[in-house]
Amino acid sequence: MTGKNRLLDVRGLTVEIETRRGPAVIVDGIDLHVDKGETLGVVGESGCGKSLTMLSLMRLLPNKIRVAKGEAHFDGRDLQKMSNRELRKVRGGDIGFVFQDPVTSLNPVMRIGDQLAEPLIYHRGMNRKQARERAIELLRLVGIPGPEERIQAYPHELSGGMRQRVMIAIGLACEPKLLIADEPTTALDVTIQAQIVDLVKGLREKLGMSVVWITHDLALIAGLVDRVVVLYAGTVVEDAPVDALYASPRHPYTRGLLASIPKLSDAPASRLNSIGGTPPEPGRRPQGCPFAPRCPLAMDICRTHVPKLEPVSAAGSHRAACFAVEKALEAA
Amino acid sequence: MSTVQAQPAPLVEEAPVSLWRDAWYRLKRNRLAIFGLGVIILLAFVALFGPYLTPYDFLSQDLEARNQAPSLAHLFGTDDLGRDVFSRVVYGTRTAFVVAVVVTAIALVIGTVLGAVAGFFGNPFDRVIMWLTDVTMSVPNLLLVVVINASLKTPIAQWMEARYLETLNPFYRETVWIDFLLVFGSMALISWPPYARLVRAQVLSIRSRPYITAAQALGLSNRIILMRYVIPNALGPLIVAVSAGLGTAMVLESAFSFLGVGVNPPTPSWGNMISDGLRVWQHYPHLLAAPAAVLGLASVAFSFLGDGLNDALNPRGSK
């Protein structure tokens, strides 16, 4: 399980939110890891803790939400124990972040060239002129035409797709070892989504970095990621190489997610598939498996005990947390 | 190795328009605001170059020509000592502007720093600073100015007198600037709380915006985030407040001088001229009308400009 190749290693990460009734667990003891050069997809419904997990790694959690326990080793160092000064060097320097909404994640009163230059000046010690040249280079890299003029533009002068490219360029500015992309395509048109996915794919190979791609869209990342971690209610329910996950999903939740993707072969008038119910609210988690109330295969044990993440394939690379794995196979 | 090709997406091909230029376009369409801006620029010009524009010194008395009605020789007439009222109003403009600009600048710096720290860093700074703001706002401003005048003015004047007798340095003979110092100090002391509150509210709302988290994710320091991400985004409402604040400070200076706790004669201020004019207005209405009209004009001009700026900088707020 451990290797020299491991870039990010998160163990038992637990995040809590303060409520009037006391702390409520949002992320419950997550284990996940990213190897060097690997692309990890983190999938789950809205509110299952995907974004919070990534923000908590960088200690960027909003007020009232905090990491209760757990470790997050990045390149051998625990991010949770670093001093603020060390952490600032990692943020933007070793770990680049691309946020969900390119409209609100860029500073509206700053030219995009200056926003690109900021991390270069801070982390790479460049002067304004060098940073400017590098900014032009970066904009060209992410496929923005006319970068020499574009660096003078303000965010509101660019389209959504262009802004997301700028966000990616900012995330990549210091050539990080890890790029965390938090649903970078949700705010974009389908055609632009594909462009962004291709762009990141190309850049990853060019720069040899690892990528964590957070999304709720299993179909979108099929061709992009190496491995997928499925989150439900703040726990990892399945962790598998991407092909294995699509070919034989083991957890009923993953099956539900995959079944929810509309296919062209579906009968035209058929209803869209969905998973009934909603994820549990923080503070109201069921006693056993968090998915049990919505699970078509739930057994008695599911309502009393929490299943552990266990290997379900011979190689051990495919793991699922479900008592009904065998039943799921039969049902398939 | 797949290469990354530029995939041209639709772009608006036009010269980049900055947010400020955008605001300027909107401001230009507002006639009242442009009128206000024109008046302010004119008054500022008069304040800067006043002494070169007036035919008389504001202090020179012509006892042969006292209380004259406006004429070509004396545009606004003369007062009871035969001084040219026009020259005095012009010099009063300078007084008003100096006081307004210096006081607003001091208040702005104090208010912005305190408000930004309170909003950005939260408790315990927030609690202490807001407490300080409330305390300051609860002090009646006129009372404070009177107290400062009554308690500080005489000791400073005496100390200056003593220093002069000791050193014979003419610097200590000049007591006009004590007025200014006291006026600046006391007015700045009561003028910063609105700025602090405004900036704090702005910062609180900006602090939770995604681009602040994005800036933190870039590893930028709090100081850079505050200076380059938070404060520039809070600037719009602040500019409006400053425009209104300048007008208020001018009126306040006149009010204090009117009551005799601001700038004192012989230094002309619109306020003390109005005060002098009020005693004889039935006989020589121009002595009251001239400074009052200019004060009114200045006050209205700042109001109009403030309104126009508000609409120009917050296009979504207006209809």
Side-chain angles (χ1 to χ4, degrees):
Chain A
M1 285 302 295
T2 51
K4 277 181 233 154
N5 229 8
R6 198 135 291 183
L7 183 65
L8 179 70
D9 197 354
V10 179
R11 277 182 228 147
L13 186 76
T14 302
V15 177
E16 288 177 347
I17 183 165
E18 253 172 66
T19 67
R20 265 169 294 169
R21 282 165 294 162
V25 173
I26 322 179
V27 173
D28 190 8
I30 277 188
D31 294 316
L32 55 84
H33 61 91
V34 183
D35 288 339
K36 282 177 185 149
E38 186 186 36
T39 301
L40 176 73
V42 177
V43 180
E45 278 168 293
S46 304
C48 70
K50 297 170 301 210
S51 302
L52 281 177
T53 305
M54 292 308 149
L55 286 176
S56 67
L57 291 185
M58 306 285 285
R59 310 218 306 245
L60 286 171
L61 290 173
N63 277 344
K64 304 209 166 170
I65 302 183
R66 60 191 178 81
V67 173
K69 54 178 187 272
E71 298 167 13
H73 291 274
F74 177 78
D75 236 3
R77 294 182 298 164
D78 192 345
L79 291 168
Q80 303 299 324
K81 294 204 180 97
M82 266 182 197
S83 70
N84 283 331
R85 177 181 282 257
E86 282 176 304
L87 186 70
R88 279 214 304 274
K89 290 222 165 72
V90 174
R91 292 177 180 169
D94 292 330
I95 301 182
F97 232 102
V98 178
F99 286 90
Q100 188 166 357
D101 185 356
V103 179
T104 54
S105 299
L106 291 168
N107 183 353
V109 299
M110 217 164 149
R111 294 174 197 277
I112 60 168
D114 292 333
Q115 298 192 50
L116 267 164
E118 210 79 89
L120 294 169
I121 292 167
Y122 181 76
H123 292 292
R124 292 284 177 266
M126 290 187 183
N127 62 33
R128 290 246 152 237
K129 194 163 164 282
Q130 291 168 316
R132 201 189 106 99
E133 276 160 21
R134 174 80 177 130
I136 292 173
E137 227 172 85
L138 282 162
L139 289 183
R140 191 171 290 127
L141 187 72
V142 296
I144 291 185
E148 292 84 357
E149 294 89 60
R150 281 303 129 194
I151 58 165
Q152 295 294 328
Y154 285 90
H156 72 279
E157 293 164 333
L158 303 177
S159 66
M162 283 294 133
R163 275 186 252 191
Q164 194 55 278
R165 283 162 191 267
V166 172
M167 284 289 302
I168 292 174
I170 293 175
L172 292 176
C174 298
E175 301 191 352
K177 294 173 190 158
L178 176 66
L179 183 73
I180 298 177
D182 184 2
E183 305 204 34
T185 60
T186 359
L188 305 175
D189 290 343
V190 181
T191 48
I192 312 289
Q193 289 188 0
Q195 286 182 14
I196 298 289
V197 169
D198 285 343
L199 173 70
V200 171
K201 217 163 145 182
L203 291 172
R204 175 192 62 186
E205 280 156 35
K206 216 174 193 175
L207 305 173
M209 63 186 174
S210 304
V211 177
V212 173
W213 188 288
I214 304 172
T215 185
H216 56 256
D217 189 347
L218 266 173
L220 179 76
I221 57 168
L224 172 73
V225 302
D226 304 314
R227 201 158 52 81
V228 179
V229 164
V230 182
L231 291 189
Y232 182 77
T235 54
V236 176
V237 295
E238 189 158 2
D239 176 350
V242 65
D243 297 335
L245 188 87
Y246 283 86
S248 59
R250 296 303 170 86
H251 197 281
Y253 178 61
T254 317
R255 292 174 171 277
L257 280 183
L258 284 168
S260 310
I261 302 170
K263 292 169 206 68
L264 280 175
S265 57
D266 288 347
S270 67
R271 291 177 63 93
L272 293 172
N273 276 312
S274 66
I275 307 175
T278 50
E281 278 173 54
R284 298 197 178 174
R285 301 162 64 83
Q287 194 194 352
C289 167
F291 188 59
R294 302 171 71 189
C295 181
L297 305 174
M299 305 174 292
D300 287 342
I301 187 176
C302 302
R303 299 194 181 87
T304 50
H305 291 78
V306 182
K308 286 200 173 63
L309 194 63
E310 275 159 4
V312 291
S313 72
S317 60
H318 190 162
R319 298 182 299 158
C322 184
F323 294 122
V325 167
E326 300 308 321
K327 239 166 107 184
L329 275 179
E330 286 159 27
Chain B
M1 271 292 186
S2 83
T3 53
V4 183
Q5 286 298 321
Q7 288 141 330
L11 267 180
V12 199
E13 284 302 337
E14 57 182 34
V17 183
S18 81
L19 295 174
W20 300 114
R21 201 174 304 166
D22 237 25
W24 170 237
Y25 282 136
R26 278 192 294 271
L27 187 67
K28 265 202 303 198
R29 267 185 269 130
N30 185 334
R31 287 208 194 129
L32 279 180
I34 290 302
F35 163 76
L37 185 64
V39 169
I40 291 164
I41 291 173
L42 180 74
L43 287 175
F45 179 79
V46 166
L48 269 175
F49 301 106
Y52 307 102
L53 301 175
T54 56
Y56 306 94
D57 185 81
F58 68 92
L59 279 178
S60 74
Q61 304 176 358
D62 181 359
L63 296 175
E64 304 275 290
R66 296 166 39 194
N67 293 329
Q68 284 191 349
S71 64
L72 274 180
H74 299 282
L75 281 177
F76 290 172
T78 59
D79 67 5
D80 57 349
L81 293 173
R83 297 175 296 195
D84 181 47
V85 175
F86 178 72
S87 308
R88 290 181 62 75
V89 167
V90 164
Y91 201 87
T93 310
R94 175 173 263 202
T95 307
F97 262 83
V98 168
V99 171
V101 169
V102 173
V103 168
T104 307
I106 298 173
L108 185 66
V109 170
I110 300 176
T112 305
V113 170
L114 289 183
V117 167
F120 194 71
F121 293 103
N123 282 329
F125 299 99
D126 194 19
R127 194 164 296 168
V128 172
I129 291 170
M130 283 302 107
W131 174 80
L132 199 65
T133 311
D134 289 341
V135 168
T136 311
M137 285 178 88
S138 72
V139 177
N141 54 23
L142 185 60
L143 195 66
L144 180 76
V145 174
V146 170
V147 167
I148 289 177
N149 257 279
S151 59
L152 286 181
K153 200 164 193 166
T154 321
I156 294 180
Q158 281 169 351
W159 179 80
M160 298 267 290
E161 179 81 26
R163 293 292 297 160
Y164 174 66
L165 291 176
E166 210 175 287
T167 61
L168 290 178
N169 182 339
F171 170 80
Y172 293 108
R173 201 75 196 271
E174 192 65 53
T175 54
V176 174
W177 64 269
I178 300 180
D179 272 0
F180 278 93
L181 201 70
L182 285 173
V183 170
F184 291 157
S186 49
M187 281 178 60
L189 212 59
I190 55 175
S191 303
W192 64 265
Y195 297 111
R197 292 194 146 193
L198 179 73
V199 171
R200 172 177 174 270
Q202 283 289 310
V203 169
L204 278 180
S205 105
I206 290 167
R207 194 177 62 164
S208 59
R209 304 227 175 122
Y211 56 81
I212 298 301
T213 311
Q216 286 169 335
L218 281 178
L220 303 179
S221 64
N222 279 336
R223 194 180 58 83
I224 290 181
I225 292 174
L226 202 54
M227 298 303 292
R228 295 178 53 91
Y229 288 75
V230 177
I231 290 180
N233 277 293
L235 225 48
L238 204 56
I239 289 175
V240 176
V242 165
S243 165
L246 284 169
T248 312
M250 271 188 193
V251 174
L252 211 57
E253 181 269 313
S254 288
F256 292 155
S257 302
F258 176 83
L259 293 169
V261 290
V263 178
N264 284 317
T267 312
S269 145
W270 296 336
N272 62 37
M273 291 175 70
I274 291 171
S275 164
D276 291 345
L278 207 55
R279 277 175 298 184
V280 292
W281 72 272
Q282 279 117 330
H283 308 285
Y284 310 112
H286 65 273
L287 293 184
L288 175 61
V294 178
L295 171 62
L297 189 68
S299 163
V300 163
F302 275 106
S303 272
F304 284 162
L305 181 66
D307 262 7
L309 283 172
N310 194 23
D311 294 344
L313 291 166
N314 307 313
R316 266 161 267 126
S318 60
K319 80 163 171 56

